[in-house]
Amino acid sequence: MAAVHALDVLGDPVRRRILELLAEGEQPAGAVTAVIGDEFGISQPAVSQHLRVLRETGFATVRPQGTRRLYAMAPARFAEAHAWLDHFGRFWEQRLDALGTELAREKHRTKRKAADD
């Protein structure tokens, strides 16, 4: 699956929130459904569909435990999206470095002004 498609998958706020929950550790489908249902006001079948997309695209895994289905995040899939985004880092790294320089200068000016007062 192409990295751009990975970003399409991650572009959905419900799926991003599910992944945030799974990043905390393995979660039963019912617990994920309860949180997502409360936060987004969507039904159990809708949450199940999002979980299916995450599973089929490799962002989540599922394992049965008795009658429950336990979901976990599959971090390897994020490497592809990260690599694609990293290609564009040159566009913001220089600006972030410049921002860091300006923040350091301002901190230095503030300390110097406080010492002068």
Side-chain angles (χ1 to χ4, degrees), residues 24-56:
E24 296 172 11
E26 194 173 54
Q27 303 281 329
V32 173
T33 299
V35 171
I36 298 301
D38 287 347
E39 291 181 7
F40 290 90
I42 61 176
S43 66
Q44 181 275 327
V47 175
S48 292
Q49 184 68 14
H50 284 290
L51 286 167
R52 186 175 131 240
V53 168
L54 292 170
R55 190 177 66 247
E56 289 179 353

Side-chain angles (χ1 to χ4, degrees), residues 2 12 34 39-40 72 75 77 80 96 111-114:
D12 185 278
E39 291 181 7
F40 290 90
R77 186 68 168 98
E80 187 179 320
L96 288 175
K111 282 183 179 179
R112 193 171 55 211
K113 184 177 179 186

Side-chain angles (χ1 to χ4, degrees), residues 63-85:
R63 71 176 179 88
Q65 184 183 56
T67 58
R68 299 186 327 163
R69 295 173 64 87
L70 299 174
Y71 282 84
M73 193 174 77
R77 186 68 168 98
F78 290 91
E80 187 179 320
H82 183 270
W84 187 83
L85 284 170

